Amino acid sequence: MGRRVDSLPRVSWPEGARCAVTLSFDVDAESAALNRGEEYAKRLTSLSQGRYGIHRGLPRILDLLDEHAIQATFFVPGYTAEQHAEAIREIHRSGHEIGHHGYLHERPDRLSPEQELVVIERGIAALDRVVGVRPVGYRSPAWEITPTTLQCLNACGFLYDSSCMGSDIPYVERHGDHQMLELPVQWLLDDWPLFGFDGDNGGQISNPDKVFEIWAAEFDGLYKEGGYFMLTMHPEVSGRPHRVALLDRLIRHIRDHVGVWWATAEQVARHSAPQLA
Ligand SMILES: [Zn+2]
């Protein structure tokens, strides 16, 4: 009798690859703090913590990706693109994908349907104006989409969403008449719950060896099953020197496995879409 895991839905990867890996970065910068409330406009320390990601974290991350010749996906709020145009253009010039991440890091579930559409259109316009790209992928701030989000993404011609957690391979997220190709995320494959810390909410500052253990073990399991390893990081969190070293270590661990397809989220979406149609 076959094992149950063998009957799980799968996607096949190109050129006989056994599993796929996407490194993704949410470039929040100051937008996440500013979205928390008007009082944050004068909270220079909170704003500077986000800005660190642009000025210090991003260059280290881009160098590491260059060193390993890996193309990644960067989800950028429109406001971040406007405030840090040169840094975001540099991401694009380096060959990485630019995806949509709201305008001022708005959580869709806290917006009206009308506001949701305005925010998505505003984010598209900003990325077009500043970087000259039309994003095909969307990742919702705080990973909380609504049925309206699916509707807006369809209306605006998006290819994929990357905010839901219903699988660990690409799948279709459905609600009523609306659906969208989903490249799933997970809190355990996000640097924020493991490393994120701020003065209001606290958090934790983990030993990177512990985080390496979690991420490498999850990769090993997905590799064994032929799955999809989507890692989410933030330049202000993972751009610290010892965490860039952790990412380097993780990349080397993954590189020790044969048959890994390193791809941007867009590449994975374009490859998976026909199999899920
Ligand atoms: Zn974000």
Side-chain angles (χ1 to χ4, degrees), residues 231-253:
L231 189 62
T232 298
M233 293 159 282
H234 300 74
E236 69 270 37
V237 175
S238 281
R240 303 298 306 199
H242 76 285
R243 295 175 187 155
V244 174
L246 157 68
L247 180 57
D248 184 36
R249 189 176 161 203
L250 182 73
I251 290 170
R252 290 173 196 281
H253 172 82

Side-chain angles (χ1 to χ4, degrees), residues 160-178:
Y160 72 89
D161 173 61
S162 182
S163 318
C164 291
M165 309 187 188
S167 185
D168 44 33
I169 55 169
Y171 74 101
V172 177
E173 180 70 30
R174 288 190 175 85
H175 188 275
D177 293 338
H178 301 288

Side-chain angles (χ1 to χ4, degrees), residues 26 28 101 105:
D26 296 356
D28 298 342
H101 195 48
H105 209 264

Side-chain angles (χ1 to χ4, degrees), residues 177-192:
D177 293 338
H178 301 288
Q179 58 179 55
M180 182 55 58
L181 173 61
E182 184 65 41
L183 303 186
V185 293
Q186 227 297 324
W187 296 114
L188 73 89
L189 294 176
D190 179 352
D191 62 1
W192 192 265

Side-chain angles (χ1 to χ4, degrees), residues 213-277:
E213 262 183 45
I214 294 171
W215 288 352
E218 186 69 1
F219 167 78
D220 291 350
L222 292 169
Y223 178 81
K224 206 170 149 199
E225 290 184 11
Y228 179 44
F229 184 80
M230 159 70 92
L231 189 62
T232 298
M233 293 159 282
H234 300 74
E236 69 270 37
V237 175
S238 281
R240 303 298 306 199
H242 76 285
R243 295 175 187 155
V244 174
L246 157 68
L247 180 57
D248 184 36
R249 189 176 161 203
L250 182 73
I251 290 170
R252 290 173 196 281
H253 172 82
I254 295 173
R255 284 240 190 267
D256 282 343
H257 296 67
V258 293
V260 173
W261 184 40
W262 294 84
T264 64
E266 178 179 357
Q267 288 169 330
V268 171
R270 292 204 187 282
H271 178 78
S272 312
Q275 300 178 55
L276 297 166

